[in-house]
Every structure is written in structure tokens, then in C-alpha cells.
Amino acid sequence: MNIHIFDSQEKLNQAGAGIIIGTVQTKQRAILGLATGSTPTGIYEEVVREYNRGLVSFRKTTTFNLDEYVGLPVGHPESYLVYMQQHLFNFIDIPAEQIHIPDGSLEDTLAECKRYDELLADAGQIDLQLLGIGHNGHIGFNEPDHALLRETHAVTLREETRQANAIYFDSMDEVPAQAITMGMGAILKAKTILLVVRGAEKAEIIHKALTGPITTAIPASLLQTHPSLVVLMDSEAGRLFQT
Ligand code: GLP
């Protein structure tokens, strides 16, 4: 595992964007696994900046997002599809048909999970999987549990996860109760995983996840088993690593 701690958000964003762009530049048909949340926004901004400088093209890139809320109508401002459009896809030259995000607006969630896994299986292996970490150690929406699932699945969000995401909605009642998430299988199968962590409130969980026991109670701890894990942290999140 390769841990980097940055003393500024700018340097962290540049490092993260550099890894994404490097993957797209070196791999003919790169497959990126992408994440949402507050953590990757600065990295996407930096990717767009570099794209505008003409340094990279996404015409041959395919993307798979980690997750999507269940029950939000298509085009809902807090859906992860809209998030991705507003932070990345609207500003780069990726063809729409090469973008994949689970569709949480469909009646048949089970069929949608199956469809997503078939797309992932056809793609083979994600070259670079970008990840954030939830306050409870979740990755994607793989919540702490007695067992973790390999496949894409629907998940009932834990109360602390709904609360963490409530800032994006007008009231707690509007925060979806369920989501579709890529399972641990596709995440751990990625060639390289790029885990990004920011802020003092993540310091303890990231330290536990990367140095404590590997346990399904902290899904991110399974990343310790990955042969190519790059972790980018700001100094607040990385506080417990700097002893
Ligand atoms: C969200 C997402 C995750 C994300 C995590 C942390 O709910 N499902 O993919 O990594 O929780 O979010 P944030 O970056 O906003 O702290």
C-alpha cells in the first residue's frame, strides 16, 4: 500500500487528477471506476482543468460509477448521475454510451443490479477505481455488516449514512433509504485502487481501516488485501499516520 499525505488540498487534487489522467493516457481503452460525495470534487475539477489544457482525451474511456440512490427520479439534482454530469461528464469528451451508473429510478432493482454486473463482467476489469470512505468505513455503499456481498446489490442505508448525506437534501425525510452499489467483488478486482480521504472526522476510521484487523464491520479494511492500493490523504485525515 502506498500512502501519501498532503499539506494542501490543491496538491492532493493534483496528485489524484494526475493518477486518473495518467491511466487514461497510458491505457488505450481505460476503464475508470468513479465515486461521488464531497471527497472527489476537487480532483474532478483538476481533471477538467487538465482536459481544457488539451492534455487528455476521454473518447476511448469507459466509466462505471460505484453507486446510485434508489427512488430518486432521473434528473433529480442529488442523484449521482447529475452529480457526475455537473462535476465531470459535461466538461469532457467522453461519449455518453461509455458512461455507466446504476439506474435507481427503476421498479425492478434486482434486474438493474444484474444488468450492471453483466456490463462490469463484459468490461473485464476496472483499471483504476476511485474511492472515498464513509464515516463508518463504507466504500461505495457497501455498509458495515456480518458479511459483504460480491455482486452489485440494493442496500438499505444505515442511519449514520443517511445523516451524513442529509446535508444535500432539504430534510432528513427526503434522503433515500436505499441505494444500489457495486459489490466488493468488482471493487477489489480493480487493477489499482485510488482511495482519497479528507478531513479530521475521517482520521480515526481511515487509520482503523488501514492498520486494524480486516473485518466486514469496516468494509474499507478489505482494501488492505489489495495488491495495488494508493491512498491520498490530507494532513487532517492522515493525522494518526504521522507519528
Ligand atoms: C457516500 C458515497 C461514497 C462516498 C462516501 C463518503 O455516501 N456512497 O461513495 O465515498 O459516502 O462521502 P464524502 O466524500 O461526501 O465524505
Side-chain angles (χ1 to χ4, degrees), residues 6-221:
F6 296 87
D7 58 14
S8 84
Q9 300 297 333
E10 194 188 352
K11 286 183 202 161
L12 191 163
N13 292 337
Q14 284 169 353
I19 293 170
I20 293 173
I21 290 169
T23 304
V24 172
Q25 283 170 331
T26 51
K27 184 87 204 281
Q28 258 289 327
R29 294 181 183 279
I31 303 178
L32 300 178
L34 298 178
T36 53
S38 59
T39 305
T41 54
I43 292 178
Y44 292 144
E45 254 173 52
E46 191 59 32
V47 168
V48 171
R49 202 168 294 135
E50 297 293 284
Y51 168 78
N52 286 333
R53 289 175 62 209
L55 292 181
V56 64
S57 167
F58 295 86
R59 273 198 299 273
K60 292 182 180 166
T61 302
T62 297
T63 65
F64 285 92
N65 262 81
L66 281 169
D67 44 20
E68 178 60 282
Y69 290 118
V70 166
L72 296 184
V74 175
H76 188 286
E78 294 311 329
S79 69
Y80 287 164
L81 174 59
V82 169
Y83 169 104
M84 288 307 300
Q85 289 166 338
Q86 288 177 345
H87 288 95
L88 185 67
F89 296 148
N90 285 353
F91 308 106
I92 60 174
D93 60 350
I94 185 165
E97 63 276 14
Q98 285 155 222
I99 291 170
H100 304 100
I101 301 191
D103 186 342
S105 72
L106 302 172
E107 272 296 302
D108 194 344
T109 314
L110 211 63
E112 176 58 7
C113 293
K114 195 164 173 276
R115 181 191 75 90
Y116 208 63
D117 272 341
E118 281 165 8
L119 288 169
L120 281 162
D122 285 350
Q125 182 189 31
I126 289 170
D127 293 301
L128 180 69
Q129 176 65 57
L130 178 60
L131 288 181
I133 182 172
H135 296 86
N136 62 9
H138 72 221
I139 48 179
F141 271 132
N142 291 279
E143 295 276 42
D145 214 332
H146 298 300
L148 298 175
L149 296 179
R150 187 182 44 187
E151 303 86 6
T152 300
H153 57 283
V155 58
T156 299
L157 299 178
R158 290 178 62 128
E159 206 46 31
E160 65 265 24
T161 299
R162 292 187 67 234
Q163 262 157 21
N165 289 344
I167 48 165
Y168 301 109
F169 294 84
D170 289 338
S171 73
M172 199 47 196
D173 292 347
E174 290 178 36
V175 185
Q178 283 204 314
I180 293 176
T181 184
M182 200 188 272
M184 296 299 291
I187 294 173
L188 291 174
K189 196 174 146 194
K191 203 173 288 168
T192 297
I193 293 181
L194 176 58
L195 173 64
V196 183
V197 196
R198 302 183 204 257
E201 76 280 5
K202 302 265 179 82
E204 268 184 46
I205 191 66
I206 192 58
H207 191 255
K208 263 194 204 163
L210 297 183
T211 65
I214 297 171
T215 164
T216 60
I218 302 179
S221 68

